[in-house]
Amino acid sequence: MSAVLEVSGLVKHFPIAGQRAVVQAVNGVSFSVARGETVSLVGESGSGKTTVGRCVLGLITPSGGTVHFHGAPIDKRHNIRSKTLRGRLQLVFQEPAESLDPRMRIGHTIAEPLRSLGVSQAERQQRVRETITRVGLRESTLEQYPAELSAGQQQRVGIARAIITEPELIVLDEPTSALDPTARAEIIDLLIRLQQELETAYLFISHDLSTVRYVSHRVAVMYLGMIVELGSAAEIFSHPRHPYSVGLLSSVLLPNPRLKRELTVDLKGEIPSPIDLPKGCFLAGRCPFADERCRAAMPPPDDVGGGHLVHCYHHREALRGREALDYFDQFQSEAEQVLGAGRR
Amino acid sequence: MHPEIAAATRDPAVLSARSDAILAIRGLSVSYPVYGTEAVRAIRELDLSIARGEILGLVGESGSGKTTLARAIMGLLARPGRIDAGSVTFDGRDLRAMPEDALRAIRGKDIAMVIPNPRGELDPLVTVGRQIATVARAHLDIARDKSDELALEMLKAVQIPDPKRRFNAYPHELSGGMAQRVVMAMSLVCSPKFIISDDATSGLDVTVQAQILDLLRNLVRSHQTAMMFITRDIGITAHFCDRVAVIYAGEIVELAPTVRFFENPMHPYSVMLLAAFAHNPRLREKWHKPLASQIRAGTTGCPYAPRCVHVEDQCRGTRPALLELEPGHFVRCLVPVVRPT
């Protein structure tokens, strides 16, 4: 399986005006995404998810590390804007309304990426019509303006604009966070179907863990610009090992009052400032397992099998005493029973 | 109508006649006039009561009327919205009959509201301790040193680390989670009898949200405060609320004790909403009917009829009543979902 995207040792620091200190947004991130695969970056605000996404597309220049797309580096000259890669990388935004030109008809918006690739008008029209039906909208939508559509429909337009060039990689930055639950579920189903049809690789950035569980093949849990744990979605959700992953997952409230995860790892206090990061493990100040070793240096990654990496000295303790239960899976099967009923 | 359902019919007044109710809404209708055409009916003949010490979750999608209801209770409807009918009784007093200055004395003291975007609620030029103290002084008739003391106590109560130092902090010095705690401290400083939280935790990260919800619940329980918790996230209601009310197009379509609601949701809309959270395409297809246009409240029949998979001819002509189908479990549907027992 050749990687579409290969990120290695990525670092991004942002300068602060008038100060020598920098915001350490991303601190050495490595992962890859294969053809037809969805890798999710999850984490709380300020964890550096979006910055990684922007570095991947070459929208900002990393301070260190490399990003390769099909083996070729993404840099100042080769990025989402350059002629060589235009159309092969795409991006879907969080706020569908704000990412569409309010004065441009939908048909025009969707055709725009093709125009910059020099596709003839006849072919453009043909592909726009194909694409709009592919994302589940009517052809008459092409004549409408963004304000005439619901948020869910607007996001379908955003997706249509991204897939019309048949890209090999799409970065989806919180594509469903601004949507109502029903619209969110529809968009997720659409993204999964499109991936099966087009074999696109997705880099899915989200803080919505139940959606991530459902769409991802692999999950990278980020905390303060680091991937603290990386593994298959099933592994991460049933056996989270990093104390931060455990705390994060147990904070998710699933719509079933009986599925309450006991807090085996209680994360106390506040996230440290990315301007002034602690010397050792970034979680040490909040983690119940932290000791001298954790405070002295960042733990190296530990491969626990099957490509499941954990940056923690104490992950065995974090795992201990907890039944291996994927609450999300449990929730889905219980939902099946309750919601499978019908009318009398 | 099915005979069992007809037999279960009870006066909907039981909803608002609970003796321990701190807030009782009866027959409330709210509309927004639209120039040159019919007014938009945002809330339609709504009955609801909340007991002391109770947390009621109000779940609905955008445009369902959640925020309009909250603002109507507070007497703070955005223009040109107006209350067409109904009453809002708080602690035995009719809020709609009250003059504005009497209302103002209640707002912030007996009824508090917590909204999202905590930074937007705080004055950037005043220290957070002083802001909390100001609320206390405005309502409680106490001296400045006493109100400062109270504010510090509140900062401790919402578990802000190092409260003495934070007392003199400006809002920009606080993280989002801490700013949200300060806003909570502000709304709780006068020990309100009723709190409305309008999507107050939606902007927070999940670990912070978990902390804030724990805190809110403890404060509500210890002070016997009642709370209306408005949210789009049905997952929160499962773990945080005592009862769940689902609002659709300005009507409460289902109201039940939390555990029962999730074990036995009966309104097709509630089930559709739950299916959307379950990430199960087959279930979603079963309960979802794609719809081209927006539906407004105030149609003759059931407002959910155009989207409903259970719809029958009778649903389009008659507006279903909110009926108690099992103890404490109210459903506004002529063709409710039934599960084998």
Side-chain angles (χ1 to χ4, degrees), chain A residues 43-46 49 138 150 153 177-189 207-212 214 244 247-248 251-261 263 266-271 286 331-332 335-344, chain B residues 2 4 60-62 161 175 177-178 181 205-211 213-214 232-236 238-239 258-259 262-265 271-284 286-288 292 294 307 309-312 335-340:
Chain A
E44 300 182 277
S45 48
K49 319 184 282 289
R138 284 184 217 159
S150 69
Q153 290 170 322
S177 310
L179 302 176
D180 268 327
T182 44
R184 177 172 67 206
E186 282 172 27
I187 292 292
I188 291 299
D189 285 351
H207 65 260
D208 176 1
L209 288 155
S210 57
T211 300
V212 165
Y214 181 62
Y244 178 71
L248 188 68
S251 305
V252 175
L253 300 172
L254 288 169
N256 183 333
R258 292 193 294 119
L259 291 181
K260 177 82 180 156
R261 210 183 266 265
L263 271 173
D266 195 4
L267 297 177
K268 290 182 193 72
E270 297 271 318
I271 303 176
R286 300 175 68 193
F331 161 64
Q332 284 203 326
E336 178 90 40
Q337 285 167 27
V338 172
L339 306 179
R343 78 180 85 194
R344 39 177 299 113
Chain B
H2 298 293
E4 298 89 330
E61 297 189 277
S62 37
S175 67
M178 272 214 265
R181 283 165 209 244
D205 284 319
V206 280
T207 55
V208 181
Q209 172 179 282
Q211 294 169 0
L213 289 177
D214 267 357
R232 291 199 301 183
D233 184 353
I234 211 161
I236 296 181
H239 301 276
T258 301
V259 172
F262 286 95
E263 276 172 359
N264 190 24
V271 179
M272 193 275 284
L273 211 54
L274 286 164
F277 278 90
H279 289 304
N280 181 331
R282 201 186 51 74
L283 281 180
R284 237 167 33 72
K286 179 180 156 86
W287 292 104
H288 183 69
Q294 284 277 342
R307 281 174 75 182
V309 291
H310 275 187
V311 66
E312 292 176 355
V335 202
V337 179
V338 178
R339 289 178 185 80

Side-chain angles (χ1 to χ4, degrees), chain B residues 157-187:
Chain B
V158 295
Q159 289 168 19
I160 284 188
D162 202 355
K164 275 214 177 83
R165 191 163 64 84
R166 305 285 188 204
F167 185 95
N168 293 313
Y170 288 93
H172 76 270
E173 298 175 70
L174 305 178
S175 67
M178 272 214 265
Q180 188 67 60
R181 283 165 209 244
V182 169
V183 172
M184 271 170 51
M186 241 164 111
S187 39

Side-chain angles (χ1 to χ4, degrees), chain B residues 30 32 60 73 88 136-137 164 175 182 206 225 242 272 279 290-291:
Chain B
V30 178
Y32 292 97
I73 294 170
V88 179
R137 258 204 340 282
K164 275 214 177 83
S175 67
V182 169
V206 280
T225 312
D242 303 308
M272 193 275 284
H279 289 304
L291 183 75

Side-chain angles (χ1 to χ4, degrees), chain B residues 301-324:
Chain B
C302 170
Y304 188 59
R307 281 174 75 182
C308 185
V309 291
H310 275 187
V311 66
E312 292 176 355
D313 280 344
Q314 53 170 349
C315 303
R316 296 197 178 86
T318 14
R319 178 188 184 223
L322 191 59
L323 304 176
E324 189 170 14

